[in-house]
Amino acid sequence: MKHLLTLEQLSKEELLDILNLADQLKFEKKNKIPHPILKGKTLGMIFQKSSTRTRVSFEVGMHELGGQALFLSSRDLQIGRGEPIQDTARVLSRYLDGIMIRTFAQKEVEDLAKFGSIPVVNALTDYCHPCQVLADLMTIREFKGGYEGLKCVFIGDGNNMANSIIVGALKLGMKMSIASPKGYEVCEHIQDFAKNYPGMFEMTNDPMVAAKDADVIFTDVYASMGQEGEAKERLKAFKGFQVNRQLMNVAHKDCMVQHCLPAHREEEITNEIFEEHANEIFEEAENRLHAQKAVLVKLMS
Ligand code: CP
Ligand code: NVA
């Protein structure tokens, strides 16, 4: 593995390899066993969108691995004034040992990898959010003991989160069902990907159909970063697409709930369900740290 640009690029074995290392690093941290595997290495972190979890977990992660992280806001970089990604990639490759980027177009991440000469990690694009889903998969195994035979459900927008969850779940042998409003379904590329897993993928416009017998239910905001202008229209379109008591009643009794956060309570999820599942949701947030450290070790050590 040279970069982490999407989950599609990882084999099942590579995926499990990262998750196993993440478990090990979490264990070591809990037991105060230091692991300065990236001593002397520097990760650059380019942010073209806001972040709480991603920024802090990458920065702390590099520190715990013995290296350092540089926060590079695109507002301050010359990228913000139009310097092309090809040039930025070639310059930063001469200073850094790895780059993490959060941006809009997936092509920018791909170009950074293409023109640079150091590992690139996708920390969210409009297309996908692989780091988040590694943490989600780690959390599912922690709570459920494995993956095979579980039913994963996503309620809401066919967005970056949905795309990565579908890929990750199917690769690890889970069934995947997604319910989105008409016009907000996942893109054809992801639908084509799912065709490689016959009988394992279901797409519907009815949240109750998707949630039936679920073992894990995911949701995400109605309007993602960059879609603020569509917020009103989306609020209308997503009516009924909510993780609430009624929906949970058709899922398995011990069904988990996952949310990448930030959450909009009483929109995509009720406050009641959110708080009932808070320990799973905040474990998921914590696991961002461990999963990303595993990715950094795989790419930069
Ligand atoms: N889930 C997630 O990526 O959170 P941030 O936007 O806070 O980084
Ligand atoms: N879909 C959300 C995820 C945030 C972590 C967004 O892109 O804003």
Side-chain angles (χ1 to χ4, degrees):
M1 171 169 124
K2 264 175 76 185
H3 305 284
L4 177 62
L5 309 181
T6 65
L7 289 185
E8 286 94 310
Q9 67 173 100
L10 299 180
S11 66
K12 179 178 182 178
E13 290 64 39
E14 284 174 315
L15 209 48
L16 287 171
D17 225 30
I18 294 171
L19 296 169
N20 293 341
L21 179 58
D23 284 351
Q24 186 195 322
L25 293 169
K26 182 171 184 173
F27 172 85
E28 289 179 4
K29 176 168 171 156
K30 301 276 171 201
N31 289 282
K32 300 197 164 34
I33 303 168
H35 37 234
I37 308 166
L38 298 183
K39 191 166 185 293
K41 306 254 165 134
T42 305
L43 176 77
M45 310 192 301
I46 303 176
F47 281 92
Q48 311 227 37
K49 290 175 174 172
S50 307
S51 171
T52 297
R53 282 143 287 269
T54 305
R55 178 189 172 172
V56 177
S57 56
F58 266 105
E59 205 162 317
V60 170
M62 273 309 285
H63 172 74
E64 290 177 357
L65 290 167
Q68 63 164 338
L70 292 180
F71 174 70
L72 305 167
S73 159
S74 63
R75 270 191 301 266
D76 307 322
L77 291 175
Q78 296 286 11
I79 288 185
R81 295 180 55 247
E83 183 169 16
I85 205 89
Q86 297 94 299
D87 297 352
T88 306
R90 283 178 285 185
V91 171
L92 293 183
S93 293
R94 289 169 184 255
Y95 304 138
L96 302 168
D97 302 289
I99 310 183
M100 181 237 84
I101 177 166
R102 165 168 286 197
T103 188
F104 295 88
Q106 178 70 17
K107 185 167 186 306
E108 278 186 41
V109 179
E110 311 271 346
D111 280 350
L112 201 55
K114 183 170 154 196
F115 293 102
S117 54
I118 55 175
V120 172
V121 179
N122 179 346
L124 181 146
T125 59
D126 293 341
Y127 173 65
C128 65
H129 198 359
C131 290
Q132 177 68 50
V133 171
L134 288 172
D136 301 349
L137 295 169
M138 182 180 172
T139 315
I140 291 173
R141 190 164 65 173
E142 258 179 64
F143 281 83
K144 294 286 181 194
Y147 302 109
E148 296 288 333
L150 294 182
K151 182 180 176 185
C152 240
V153 171
F154 186 93
I155 303 293
D157 196 13
N159 64 8
N160 45 11
M161 276 304 301
N163 290 345
S164 289
I165 288 165
I166 290 169
V167 173
L170 291 176
K171 282 201 179 212
L172 292 186
M174 292 188 273
K175 280 187 252 155
M176 182 74 222
S177 191
I178 177 164
S180 313
K182 283 208 169 66
Y184 295 92
E185 292 97 346
V186 285
C187 61
E188 268 179 32
H189 178 73
I190 290 291
Q191 293 182 40
D192 285 344
F193 170 87
K195 287 189 186 131
N196 298 317
Y197 300 84
M200 302 289 278
F201 181 65
E202 173 190 48
M203 222 173 104
T204 165
N205 302 117
D206 186 343
M208 297 300 272
V209 167
K212 191 165 169 8
D213 299 328
D215 295 295
V216 190
I217 295 184
F218 285 88
T219 189
D220 188 14
V221 291
Y222 295 161
S224 286
M225 290 182 275
Q227 298 171 334
E228 290 79 5
E230 298 170 29
K232 257 197 181 153
E233 175 190 331
R234 283 174 170 265
L235 199 56
K236 260 195 226 150
F238 283 78
K239 198 169 173 344
F241 287 77
Q242 186 187 59
V243 179
N244 54 28
R245 177 72 56 211
Q246 196 193 358
L247 190 94
M248 293 305 293
N249 280 343
V250 301
H252 278 150
K253 250 196 150 57
D254 58 354
C255 179
M256 289 172 69
V257 174
Q258 295 279 270
H259 195 308
C260 62
L261 304 174
H264 289 183
R265 287 172 170 79
E266 304 306 329
E267 288 189 12
E268 76 275 6
I269 187 166
T270 58
N271 185 55
E272 183 190 24
I273 300 295
F274 184 96
E275 291 302 337
E276 245 174 60
H277 293 270
N279 71 325
E280 293 152 12
I281 293 170
F282 290 105
E283 200 67 34
E284 174 190 14
E286 175 184 327
N287 285 340
R288 292 293 304 278
L289 172 69
H290 311 298
Q292 284 157 199
K293 281 168 72 180
V295 169
L296 294 171
V297 167
K298 291 278 174 205
L299 291 176
M300 289 168 66
S301 67

